[in-house]
Amino acid sequence: MTDFVLTRVANGTGTITLDRPKALNSLSLEMVRRLTEVLLAWRDDANVDAVVITSSSEKALCAGGDIRFFHEAGHATPMGGSALLEDFFTEEYALNHLIHFYPKPYVSIMDGVVMGGGMGIAQGGPETGLRIVTDRTKMAMPEVNIGLFPDVGGSHFLSHAPGQLGNYLGLTGLTIGAADGLYVGLADVYVPGAQLGALTALIESTPGAQLADAIRGFAAGFASEVGASELQAQRAAIDAHFGAASVAAIMESLSRDENPFAQKALAAMRQRSPLMMCVTREMLVRGAAMDVADCLRMERSLVRRNFEHGEVLEGVRALVIDKDNAPKWNPATLEEVTPAMVERFFEPVWPACAHPLRHLD
């Protein structure tokens, strides 16, 4: 329901408040459509000089896409609703593109859980995006945990992370906090959760045209409080392990490292879909040489292949529907994943002239 997306314009700033707290603001198709509608309207509105996206709950900005919907629609015939999956991913990725290239300051308050699709709506582009993290931020691209891959532009923003940090985040799906988010380049400034009231007051009292600079100045006073980045401390090990030539080689390298950090990464990867880890690694290799639009087009094709295969349906069943946490991955082991299986995911679904995201540039 569009009731989950609240909007207001005041003092030159348009504020979007996600208000679906029971689902941690998971994105439905209706929410994606409302966000797109609002951002398109504000893009051309002379009364809006900046946009802020936030949440009514300190628990989450957005926990991702509505994966229960994925499961239900993915099991339906087109007449029964699976065509809505096509709409969801096409429109979600188009929204991600709109946000990345938004021509006005786009401020995301990444308080609480920000995962998957939540990252997609928080990652404003380098020209106008201002991404705020707090001491409550729990950031991740955990899609391999449900048999999917890091989408919503993850093939671009993870592949452009320093060194092998993108491979680490994409293949393990592990959660990071504020200091790590800043270090990886997925956040810009830190504001303690206790200061969000003061930040809100600043937003309300500052003209939109001056907002981005005002927030940066406000946040500068807290930069020393963010703490140390574990990823920075472990950077050499991450680059050594995750720079290996294949997922199997990465896991073999990790298995020889008794460092608890390496063992935690290995344990996580042992729970993930073997096939989708291999697809993710290949996607990040390809994404590093692509622009944002081409990355999103690649991801849109990968989603279609993924639902054809069924890996995500099994992952969601195990994690969310039956909650047995025992997905029957296909193939079950990394040794059974062949190059041909991975390559199949990258075969064109549509001719270029018919791709649903062909108009992105």
Side-chain angles (χ1 to χ4, degrees):
M1 295 175 60
T2 52
D3 292 350
F4 298 146
V5 179
L6 312 177
T7 64
R8 67 188 290 263
V9 176
N11 206 11
T13 295
T15 299
I16 299 170
T17 303
L18 301 182
D19 187 32
R20 194 187 182 190
K22 290 183 179 179
L24 297 180
N25 295 329
S26 294
L27 295 173
S28 65
L29 177 57
E30 291 79 7
M31 291 169 72
V32 168
R33 287 177 170 171
R34 179 59 179 154
L35 287 168
T36 302
E37 177 185 46
V38 169
L39 289 173
L40 286 174
W42 287 352
R43 184 179 64 182
D44 302 319
D45 188 339
N47 295 314
V48 178
D49 293 312
V51 173
V52 174
I53 185 164
T54 186
S55 168
S56 62
S57 168
E58 66 181 32
K59 292 183 178 179
L61 174 64
C62 175
D66 188 341
I67 58 178
R68 285 184 177 273
F69 160 71
F70 298 169
H71 189 268
E72 293 165 6
H75 279 290
T77 64
M79 191 176 294
S82 68
L84 293 175
L85 274 174
E86 298 289 308
D87 291 345
F88 180 87
F89 288 106
T90 296
E91 295 180 41
E92 183 186 29
Y93 295 177
L95 172 62
N96 300 146
H97 186 272
L98 172 64
I99 288 170
H100 187 89
F101 292 104
Y102 208 66
K104 299 176 180 181
Y106 181 90
V107 181
S108 54
I109 302 178
M110 303 168 73
D111 189 34
V113 173
V114 190
M115 297 184 181
M119 289 286 284
I121 61 170
Q123 292 294 314
E127 299 300 319
T128 59
L130 179 54
R131 303 159 297 173
I132 302 167
V133 284
T134 77
D135 45 300
R136 294 188 293 253
T137 297
K138 297 178 180 177
M139 184 189 297
M141 292 299 288
E143 288 81 0
V144 288
N145 194 34
I146 57 165
L148 198 57
F149 58 90
D151 63 339
V152 298
S155 60
H156 187 269
F157 62 74
L158 289 183
S159 69
H160 287 75
Q164 297 298 323
L165 293 171
N167 265 326
Y168 165 80
L169 292 172
L171 295 176
T172 67
L174 291 172
T175 302
I176 59 174
D180 285 336
L182 290 164
Y183 178 67
V184 177
L186 297 176
D188 299 302
V189 297
Y190 170 76
V191 174
Q195 295 294 327
L196 288 184
L199 176 65
T200 298
L202 177 74
I203 291 169
E204 292 177 352
S205 64
T206 304
Q210 302 165 24
L211 185 61
D213 287 341
I215 290 174
R216 288 184 184 277
F218 176 76
F222 307 108
S224 63
E225 299 178 24
V226 69
S229 164
E230 183 179 25
L231 296 187
Q232 183 174 11
Q234 302 290 342
R235 174 68 184 277
I238 291 170
D239 286 354
H241 294 309
F242 285 84
S246 67
V247 174
I250 291 169
M251 294 180 74
E252 171 63 25
S253 180
L254 288 168
S255 71
R256 297 194 300 268
D257 187 342
E258 296 180 359
N259 180 343
F261 181 88
Q263 289 303 304
K264 180 180 179 181
L266 179 61
M269 292 177 71
R270 285 174 172 161
Q271 301 297 315
R272 310 317 189 205
S273 162
L275 175 60
M276 294 317 298
M277 284 194 297
C278 293
V279 169
T280 294
R281 185 185 176 281
E282 177 64 20
M283 178 191 77
L284 294 178
V285 169
R286 297 185 184 210
M290 294 180 175
D291 63 20
V292 174
D294 283 336
C295 279
L296 289 166
R297 279 187 278 267
M298 173 175 64
E299 292 175 15
R300 185 62 189 84
S301 296
L302 288 172
V303 164
R304 169 67 80 83
R305 296 299 186 204
N306 184 284
F307 276 92
E308 286 176 0
H309 179 279
E311 196 78 333
V312 65
L313 299 178
E314 173 60 14
V316 174
R317 178 208 64 76
L319 188 73
V320 176
I321 307 301
D322 296 340
K323 298 182 180 179
D324 58 20
N325 290 312
K328 296 178 175 60
W329 299 128
N330 178 26
T333 67
L334 199 55
E335 291 72 25
E336 296 172 85
V337 178
T338 67
M341 291 177 188
V342 175
E343 186 61 33
R344 168 65 178 159
F345 276 72
F346 293 90
E347 291 176 1
V349 176
W350 306 272
C353 63
H355 195 291
L357 295 177
R358 60 190 176 277
H359 301 301
L360 300 185
D361 56 24

